[in-house]
Amino acid sequence: MDCIFCKITTKDIPSAIVLEDDKFIAIKDINPQAPVHILIIPKKHFSTLLECKDKGLLGDMLSMANQVAEKLDVNKKGFRITINTNREGGQTVFHLHMHLLAGRPLSGVMG
Ligand code: 5GP
Ligand code: ZN
């Protein structure tokens, strides 16, 4: 499958990895929208949030976000989690992923 995030999870495309476990890879976004902008990407391919029926994996993805926030020391000041879904949701890469944004006040970003 010609999916850029599948190739990132298999490391066929290089990325700046901040954390990894058996189910996820957390990498720096190539076009950061905040001083800290991390993508948490499941190693298994789901094209959107809607395709993922694995509640355990969805919970584990949030748990990974907590670990990333703690590792990057943005947990106390705060951070934002976003899953853009389909075109009007702003999704551009059709492999499920979660954004973790931090490092500046984010109020107002979501309109
Ligand atoms: P979406 O708009 O689908 O929610 O988010 C896709 C994100 O992936 C964007 O923030 C974009 O900057 C990021 N992105 C796209 N291609 C690459 C890449 O090759 N490497 C990295 N690290 N991020 C990417
Ligand atoms: Zn994929």
Side-chain angles (χ1 to χ4, degrees), residues 1-13 15 21-27 29 38-52 57-58 61 82-87 89-99:
M1 197 189 308
D2 196 27
C3 169
I4 191 166
F5 281 4
C6 280
K7 289 177 184 160
I8 282 175
T9 63
T10 55
K11 294 165 188 155
D12 291 308
I13 291 177
S15 65
D21 67 9
D22 56 326
K23 291 184 185 147
F24 304 97
I25 190 166
I27 64 166
D29 196 292
I38 307 301
L39 301 173
I40 297 152
I41 306 173
K43 292 185 174 178
K44 189 170 174 190
H45 180 95
F46 301 94
S47 56
T48 76
L49 174 63
L50 295 159
E51 265 67 55
C52 182
L57 184 111
L58 294 173
M61 189 158 58
T82 303
I83 302 176
N84 297 328
T85 303
N86 278 337
R87 199 175 323 153
Q91 187 172 4
T92 58
V93 176
F94 283 79
H95 176 130
L96 173 63
H97 57 281
M98 198 153 76
H99 297 256

Side-chain angles (χ1 to χ4, degrees), residues 63-103:
S63 181
M64 187 72 166
N66 284 343
Q67 291 173 58
V68 169
E70 284 165 11
K71 179 166 187 185
L72 299 182
D73 201 27
V74 297
N75 50 324
K76 293 201 177 72
K77 280 193 173 176
F79 58 94
R80 179 169 291 170
I81 295 298
T82 303
I83 302 176
N84 297 328
T85 303
N86 278 337
R87 199 175 323 153
E88 288 200 1
Q91 187 172 4
T92 58
V93 176
F94 283 79
H95 176 130
L96 173 63
H97 57 281
M98 198 153 76
H99 297 256
L100 185 153
L101 294 155

